[in-house]
Amino acid sequence: MIAEYVIVGGGAYGCAVAYHLASQGRSVVVLEAVGVGGGASGGPGKRGVRGNRRDLRELPLLREAHRLWPRLADELGAETGYVRSGSVSLIEEEVVGGRGGVVAAEAHAHTQTRFGIPTEVWDGARVREVIPGLSGNVRAALHVPGDGVAAQYRTTLAYADAARRSGAVIHEGAKVVELRSRQAGRHARVVTEDGRAVEAERAVLLAANSSVPGLVRENFGHVVPAWTVYPQVVLLRPEHAVTLPLLVGHDSRLISVKSLDGGLIQLSGGWRGRFDPDTGRGEPVEANVRGNIAQLEALLPAAGELTRVSVHVASPETATVDQIPFVDAVPGAEGFYLATGWTGHGWALLPAASRDIAHLLLHGTAPSTLAPFSLSRIP
């Protein structure tokens, strides 16, 4: 099988880049080990489209993503679950380390606004007016009205369907086990577990997030400084109905809160599960589940007792040493590119970053927005 472009990974980024390439008339094959959206792009609830307190190197992409998200469903012809709700990053402590607290709020708001992410500082009274029932310890918040939430699985399926309509071929159940770089007279090649070989006339993109570092190390001997994590997502039913009209983050607590249909609360924010070698999947760590819930109970006492509906930790993701992604050509592997390390960062950037990754594959040069994500930033 031969195509101009081969993409390894049928998650949000693999499908979105396939859509952008195919819609420009390029032949594209996507190889997905399990099923579309079966990894980090799946799972329950929604994810935040968040510019608030984001790494400054990502804000140019986020500014463009803010513009693209509201029109994405119309472009793809399917629902994405996107809602521009706005967000708050709550502040309880005066100073947290060297960069948090009320003392730093105005500087953060000014800087984010200068990067094109309008931000304002709310005092505690204003925050509690908008989110009744918050702890009296909340002293202030950073508010970004352009932030919101979107449904990751629905959006991934929408990109996949749009890619197929544009001519892309997506193979599910096609786990990649071998990579061969371009050599004289031969294309870059990808080999699946069942022995199928797919050749790329132009380029191969490694976009299977948690699998990318291993594939690069085992096939090309290059170390990508990243590791696999199993983020925890807890769905809760509050004893008392609460109003959460905004995406809620926090200056010092590991907490991210979203309202879902039916009065449920989605709770995440950085607490992690662990790998279960018997099942090959993630599993909950009870102490981390309880710890995450306890933080929300302290922050939102009006909700009363929080009853677990489900705990999801099955989807592996990849984090990097400086907590922003890697998007670049693979050193010493002609014809191969990688895009990995999206944990906690990639979802909000998706409409803009996927388009720019397609540009990189088409032209061989990265747009300026991707420059901060080069492998060369690590000596």
Side-chain angles (χ1 to χ4, degrees):
M1 188 183 302
I2 299 177
E4 290 180 275
Y5 296 95
V6 176
I7 297 175
V8 179
Y13 271 88
C15 292
V17 174
Y19 160 72
H20 288 296
L21 292 172
S23 64
Q24 295 188 55
R26 306 297 184 174
S27 61
V28 184
V29 170
V30 178
L31 302 174
E32 162 55 36
V34 184
V36 169
S41 299
K46 295 185 176 184
R47 290 188 181 169
V49 176
R50 175 186 61 83
N52 211 348
R53 300 302 298 269
R54 180 173 287 273
D55 190 294
L56 299 182
R57 292 168 288 182
E58 298 176 327
L59 289 183
L61 272 176
L62 196 281
R63 181 178 64 241
E64 179 64 5
H66 267 175
R67 185 183 71 84
L68 295 173
W69 269 109
R71 63 182 73 173
L72 187 60
D74 290 338
E75 178 181 346
L76 300 179
E79 283 300 314
T80 63
Y82 173 76
V83 177
R84 175 163 283 176
S85 60
S87 77
V88 285
S89 177
L90 304 177
I91 302 170
E92 289 184 273
E93 304 292 336
E94 177 51 40
V95 177
V96 181
R99 60 189 301 268
V102 176
V103 67
E106 290 289 352
H108 283 298
H110 171 78
T111 303
Q112 289 179 184
T113 300
R114 290 296 298 268
F115 270 93
I117 311 299
T119 306
E120 56 190 355
V121 178
W122 284 356
D123 62 21
R126 173 63 173 145
V127 179
R128 280 183 287 276
E129 177 186 342
V130 176
I131 310 177
L134 280 176
S135 165
N137 293 330
V138 174
R139 305 179 60 182
L142 289 170
H143 172 238
V144 175
D147 284 351
V149 295
Q152 67 272 14
Y153 185 58
R154 277 196 283 171
T155 302
T156 301
L157 292 182
Y159 268 120
D161 290 342
R164 289 187 180 106
R165 290 195 302 271
S166 296
V169 176
I170 300 177
H171 292 287
E172 298 177 288
K175 182 179 179 179
V176 169
V177 295
E178 185 180 351
L179 310 173
R180 301 176 189 173
S181 60
R182 184 185 298 148
Q183 298 174 359
R186 299 185 63 177
H187 299 136
R189 176 178 290 193
V190 174
V191 181
T192 63
E193 194 172 44
D194 61 4
R196 285 182 289 175
V198 186
E199 295 186 354
E201 295 176 322
R202 297 287 300 276
V204 176
L205 174 67
L206 304 177
N209 197 12
S210 61
S211 299
V212 171
L215 284 170
V216 171
R217 182 182 61 253
E218 292 160 13
N219 288 274
F220 305 123
H222 184 83
V223 175
V224 178
W227 57 92
T228 299
V229 296
Y230 290 84
Q232 169 183 289
V233 178
V234 184
L235 300 188
L236 300 165
R237 188 175 302 281
E239 180 182 7
H240 308 298
V242 291
T243 300
L244 294 172
L246 305 168
L247 170 64
V248 178
H250 203 283
D251 183 53
S252 57
R253 296 181 186 271
L254 290 177
I255 199 166
S256 177
V257 191
K258 308 169 186 69
S259 281
L260 301 179
D261 295 338
L264 295 181
I265 294 173
Q266 178 180 327
L267 174 63
S268 55
W271 296 75
R272 302 196 314 223
R274 63 188 169 205
F275 178 71
D276 182 349
D278 293 330
T279 64
R281 297 173 63 82
E283 66 174 9
V285 175
E286 179 60 24
N288 289 351
V289 177
R290 292 198 306 267
N292 204 182
I293 294 173
Q295 292 226 333
L296 181 56
E297 288 174 337
L299 184 65
L300 193 63
E305 183 178 356
L306 299 172
T307 302
R308 299 182 208 180
V309 175
S310 65
V311 180
H312 180 86
V313 294
S315 300
E317 299 188 11
T318 303
T320 70
V321 289
D322 58 355
Q323 298 299 293
I324 67 169
F326 289 114
V327 179
D328 207 345
V330 178
E334 188 175 353
F336 281 83
Y337 294 80
L338 60 78
T340 189
W342 300 106
T343 299
H345 292 253
W347 178 246
L349 305 176
L350 176 64
S354 62
R355 183 193 62 187
D356 287 357
I357 293 170
H359 180 280
L360 170 62
L361 298 179
L362 286 166
H363 303 288
T365 56
S368 61
T369 52
L370 296 183
F373 310 135
S374 168
L375 288 165
S376 64
R377 73 179 188 264
I378 308 296

